[in-house]
Amino acid sequence: MPTNRRPRVTIDQVAQATGVSRQTVSRAINNKSEIDPETRQRVLDAARAMGYRPSRFARGLVRQDLITLGLVIADVLNPFFPEVTAGVLEAAERRGWQVVVYNTGSEHRKELEVVDLLFDQVDAGVAFLLHHDAIAKAAAGNLPFVLLDKGGRAPAVPGVRIDFEGGARRGLEYLIGKGHRRIAMLDDEMALSGEAPNARRELYLRVMGERGIPVDVGWIQPAHNSIDGGAAAMERLLSAHRDVTAVFAYNDVIAIGAQLRARALGLRVPEDCAFLGFDGLSIGELVEPPLTTLHIDKRRLGEIAVEQAALLLAGAGETEIPEAVIEPQLLIRASA
Amino acid sequence: MPTNRRPRVTIDQVAQATGVSRQTVSRAINNKSEIDPETRQRVLDAARAMGYRPSRFARGLVRQDLITLGLVIADVLNPFFPEVTAGVLEAAERRGWQVVVYNTGSEHRKELEVVDLLFDQVDAGVAFLLHHDAIAKAAAGNLPFVLLDKGGRAPAVPGVRIDFEGGARRGLEYLIGKGHRRIAMLDDEMALSGEAPNARRELYLRVMGERGIPVDVGWIQPAHNSIDGGAAAMERLLSAHRDVTAVFAYNDVIAIGAQLRARALGLRVPEDCAFLGFDGLSIGELVEPPLTTLHIDKRRLGEIAVEQAALLLAGAGETEIPEAVIEPQLLIRASA
DNA sequence: AAGGTCTCCGTGAACGCTCACGTGAGCGGT
DNA sequence: ACCGCTCACGTGAGCGTTCACGGAGACCTT
């Protein structure tokens, strides 16, 4: 259905129509000097009338300074990503780069596809990638490439590491310190299927072990990464283990869904059951009671990644990139 | 601090290093036939070793089919925009377009800047623009250009119109039908400063007039477009007019902030004061009680805009673009 | 009148790639 | 020995710009 493209109007055609050379047209279009004001206007008028627009390809070919950054995220609709995006956009703008955005939904096929695209379309990439082979593929090509959230995995790839271990530990110890013993975990079903080790669940098991608190397997519920997913998981959890006193969620979105459902089912928060999220999304302030969570500076995360990409682009070796770690901070609101 | 860029490795250099012609290198890189498997491997290895990556400019110059869409939004952090973005991204991906995103914060200077950038960097633009001159500038250039949310203003520019009048009327009449008479409005301070006529406020005044309900000027409070802004505006409103029974907000974000603050100040919702938002954001479900609102299909909005851009790109005149209107639907949750 | 400056404009060349060809080597069939 | 075919590869041209020049004329200056 898309009709055939209209043919491109070139600078030469404008030149011919105006009776000048292409260089003069170029001068007019780019607002340069060495051109008679009247001629400039004539050219501009003709250009507009003919629908002329310079080819960014031809331009980019000759002036090598236009940089495009590829930003790969999992889900625009998850509030986590817009915040990272804000950081990336800002840092990129400061450098005069433009940013093209790709959404993968963490689907395996899509991730691989996007990595391929990246090589063709951008000068550097900054990405959330879940699947091993997509990461490997991205790292293998010779495109400056930075991983947002590189878990313990993929040490060879430059990127920002979020210290999930430290964060989860702080959170769990806070819960335990408050006297909780029956602490359930609502895990991301994706992270569960992914090949990457899940730092949050591992830490959960480890800390519980350290404190000598027995963990019932039923306490770990996989949840779809969404409000509804969290709600459904909570309902499953409750039907089997009504006695849990605290819930540690994979992230805020799941935590919020869970807390909402728990309240709908008549539980008091935090008296009957406390909730602890992860990410520090601002929407955590909207629910009642406001969600206690491990806050990640997502904006900074995006900025750092761009800085690293800039270093890579400037010719730094992958080993020269300084390690960057983001430390989640316990943000006590009221749900736990 | 950014070191000097490393020079670009060209196809000819790879060719020379491998002892073949550039065409053969091209065949290897692009996975084409008419090449010996062993040669291909040799070339690929050399390319990787030398850090070769084809120039997207040179490529784009010869094959004319790569399309880049520019998406201009006001604020990534406002949940309204990610939803639109999702629609745009999806529609663009279906067409094999890539999308570059610009954030303006609705700042006048930034809007003008971004419009300039657009002309250089993309093949078509889809934008939220608040300021008149930015819109005019965008429309004047000969870049296929579509306005997301074209208010009654700018009839010459193609774009999607959101029927704020119809929506606001439905919402207001619902409130009035519920018996409310002292209905305040929390308006966007930006839209107030902007030159564009504010359909929501106008409708508010008109409908109130039609129903013979006198409006106190103090009932209209400007609010910064954020949760906190809504909260602050609500507090101002309450300190002057404690007797309002309903609040009609410019959008959900402001409504949520207002409702949160009202509850914090001891008001019961909706008994003491009802709240009506605009946009239909999913975060409206998180607050207590869930926010009643005029729901806009934001995803569809993005999709339609891309469709129109595609039409324009295919050579359709601006007048041939079918009018698209999005109708806000009253979504009754519990806050009103 | 000769020289010098300024203003305005045009001409190759180059950017890095792909496309449409052209070519030579190898091989089987007659 | 010839034709014809396939396979692997190379060559010229062209995509649409900008950059570094070069040059013609107008206008001063001495």
Side-chain angles (χ1 to χ4, degrees):
Chain A
M1 128 167 11
T3 338
N4 30 358
R5 306 283 313 282
R6 51 182 165 184
R8 173 169 275 290
V9 179
T10 75
I11 198 174
D12 282 299
Q13 294 175 29
V14 178
Q16 203 165 349
T18 334
V20 298
S21 73
R22 55 193 147 85
Q23 179 59 20
T24 299
V25 175
S26 175
R27 281 190 262 254
I29 296 290
N30 298 332
N31 235 316
K32 296 213 169 179
S33 58
E34 308 196 6
I35 182 174
D36 187 275
E38 189 217 343
T39 311
R40 174 195 310 268
Q41 197 50 54
R42 243 180 52 235
V43 171
L44 253 28
D45 289 344
R48 169 147 315 161
M50 300 172 68
Y52 168 70
R53 207 159 39 82
S55 151
R56 69 170 184 286
F57 293 121
R59 258 197 186 156
L61 198 52
V62 42
R63 358 187 273 231
Q64 310 273 34
D65 52 349
L66 310 172
I67 293 187
T68 297
L69 179 73
L71 170 62
V72 181
I73 60 181
D75 180 12
V76 234
L77 297 181
N78 180 332
F80 181 86
F81 295 100
E83 285 200 47
V84 179
T85 304
V88 169
L89 248 34
E90 197 188 311
E93 199 209 303
R94 266 202 299 273
R95 293 180 159 74
W97 298 359
Q98 61 173 347
V99 178
V100 1
V101 178
Y102 304 87
N103 201 55
T104 67
S106 287
E107 289 172 40
H108 192 184
R109 191 186 50 76
K110 274 269 199 79
E111 285 196 352
L112 290 170
E113 253 179 53
V114 164
V115 170
D116 267 337
L117 275 180
L118 234 45
F119 286 89
D120 281 5
Q121 321 258 29
V122 305
D123 301 303
V126 155
F128 276 92
L129 251 25
L130 181 62
H131 298 273
H132 251 157
D133 49 354
I135 296 176
K137 196 173 176 185
N142 26 36
L143 177 79
F145 186 82
V146 175
L147 225 41
L148 291 152
D149 171 21
K150 61 168 204 171
R153 67 205 182 179
V157 190
V160 186
R161 196 168 66 78
I162 300 173
D163 182 16
F164 289 117
E165 292 82 358
R169 178 176 291 278
R170 266 190 291 279
L172 253 6
E173 289 184 344
Y174 170 73
L175 288 179
I176 294 171
K178 281 228 160 187
H180 292 286
R181 289 298 176 271
R182 292 191 297 284
I183 305 174
M185 165 149 197
L186 263 31
D187 203 8
D188 182 2
E189 59 180 20
M190 277 286 196
L192 220 120
S193 80
E195 315 83 344
N198 181 337
R200 275 163 273 200
R201 186 172 64 248
E202 274 180 14
L203 236 293
Y204 165 74
L205 293 170
R206 185 173 332 148
V207 172
M208 296 295 268
E210 286 172 13
R211 298 309 187 98
I213 304 176
V215 174
D216 189 304
V217 283
W219 287 356
I220 301 185
Q221 284 287 341
H224 180 253
N225 196 341
S226 66
I227 301 279
D228 288 342
M234 189 67 202
E235 194 155 342
R236 280 199 307 277
L237 174 66
L238 245 27
S239 70
H241 299 269
R242 188 97 201 173
D243 60 346
V244 296
T245 68
V247 168
F248 173 51
Y250 180 83
N251 65 20
D252 281 357
V253 169
I254 292 175
I256 288 171
Q259 175 174 316
L260 244 31
R261 180 60 54 91
R263 300 231 323 163
L265 291 175
L267 294 193
R268 291 168 307 157
V269 177
E271 295 81 358
D272 296 334
C273 185
F275 286 84
L276 176 61
F278 211 117
D279 277 355
L281 302 184
S282 49
I283 59 170
E285 295 177 354
L286 305 183
V287 292
E288 208 156 293
L291 186 70
T292 292
T293 183
L294 291 150
H295 180 268
I296 296 172
D297 192 340
K298 297 161 285 296
R299 197 175 190 112
R300 183 87 193 100
L301 170 61
E303 287 174 1
I304 294 179
V306 173
E307 283 167 22
Q308 294 196 339
L311 252 33
L312 246 26
L313 217 40
E318 301 195 345
T319 52
E320 304 173 38
I321 304 294
E323 250 254 305
V325 177
I326 295 230
E327 207 60 58
Q329 303 293 344
L330 180 61
L331 175 56
I332 300 176
R333 292 201 275 232
S335 70
Chain B
M1 120 218 37
T3 338
N4 31 358
R5 304 281 313 282
R6 50 181 166 187
R8 174 169 273 291
V9 178
T10 76
I11 197 174
D12 282 298
Q13 295 175 29
V14 177
Q16 204 164 349
T18 333
V20 298
S21 72
R22 56 194 144 85
Q23 179 61 17
T24 300
V25 176
S26 174
R27 281 189 262 255
I29 296 292
N30 299 331
N31 235 316
K32 296 213 168 179
S33 57
E34 307 196 8
I35 181 175
D36 187 273
E38 188 216 343
T39 310
R40 175 196 310 268
Q41 198 50 55
R42 243 179 52 236
V43 170
L44 253 28
D45 289 344
R48 169 149 313 160
M50 301 173 67
Y52 169 72
R53 207 160 36 84
S55 149
R56 68 169 183 284
F57 294 120
R59 258 200 187 151
L61 198 52
V62 42
R63 356 187 275 231
Q64 311 274 30
D65 52 349
L66 309 171
I67 293 186
T68 297
L69 178 73
L71 170 63
V72 180
I73 60 181
D75 180 13
V76 235
L77 296 182
N78 181 332
F80 180 87
F81 294 100
E83 285 200 47
V84 179
T85 304
V88 169
L89 247 33
E90 196 188 311
E93 199 209 302
R94 266 203 298 274
R95 293 181 158 75
W97 299 0
Q98 62 174 346
V99 178
V100 0
V101 177
Y102 305 88
N103 200 55
T104 67
S106 288
E107 289 172 39
H108 192 183
R109 190 185 52 77
K110 274 271 201 79
E111 284 197 353
L112 290 170
E113 253 178 53
V114 164
V115 169
D116 268 337
L117 274 180
L118 233 44
F119 285 88
D120 281 6
Q121 322 259 29
V122 305
D123 301 303
V126 157
F128 276 93
L129 251 25
L130 181 63
H131 298 274
H132 251 157
D133 48 355
I135 296 176
K137 195 172 176 188
N142 26 36
L143 177 79
F145 186 82
V146 175
L147 225 42
L148 291 153
D149 169 22
K150 61 170 207 171
R153 69 207 181 174
V157 190
V160 187
R161 196 168 67 78
I162 300 173
D163 183 16
F164 289 117
E165 291 82 356
R169 178 175 290 278
R170 266 190 292 279
L172 254 6
E173 288 183 344
Y174 170 73
L175 288 179
I176 294 171
K178 282 229 159 186
H180 292 286
R181 288 300 176 271
R182 293 190 299 282
I183 305 174
M185 164 147 199
L186 263 31
D187 204 7
D188 183 1
E189 59 180 21
M190 276 286 197
L192 221 119
S193 80
E195 315 83 344
N198 180 335
R200 274 163 272 200
R201 186 172 64 248
E202 275 180 12
L203 237 291
Y204 165 74
L205 292 170
R206 187 175 328 149
V207 171
M208 296 295 268
E210 286 171 14
R211 298 308 187 97
I213 304 176
V215 173
D216 189 305
V217 282
W219 287 358
I220 302 186
Q221 284 286 341
H224 179 253
N225 196 342
S226 66
I227 302 278
D228 288 342
M234 188 67 203
E235 194 156 342
R236 282 198 307 277
L237 174 66
L238 244 29
S239 70
H241 299 268
R242 188 97 201 172
D243 60 344
V244 296
T245 68
V247 168
F248 173 51
Y250 180 83
N251 64 21
D252 281 357
V253 169
I254 292 175
I256 287 171
Q259 174 175 315
L260 244 30
R261 180 60 55 92
R263 299 229 323 163
L265 292 174
L267 295 193
R268 290 168 308 157
V269 179
E271 295 81 359
D272 296 333
C273 184
F275 286 84
L276 176 61
F278 210 116
D279 278 355
L281 302 186
S282 50
I283 59 169
E285 295 176 355
L286 305 184
V287 293
E288 208 156 294
L291 186 70
T292 292
T293 183
L294 291 150
H295 180 268
I296 297 172
D297 191 341
K298 297 159 286 295
R299 194 172 192 115
R300 182 90 193 97
L301 171 61
E303 287 174 1
I304 294 179
V306 173
E307 282 167 22
Q308 294 195 338
L311 253 35
L312 246 27
L313 217 40
E318 299 195 346
T319 54
E320 304 171 38
I321 303 294
E323 250 255 304
V325 177
I326 295 233
E327 206 61 60
Q329 303 292 344
L330 181 60
L331 175 56
I332 301 176
R333 292 200 275 231
S335 71

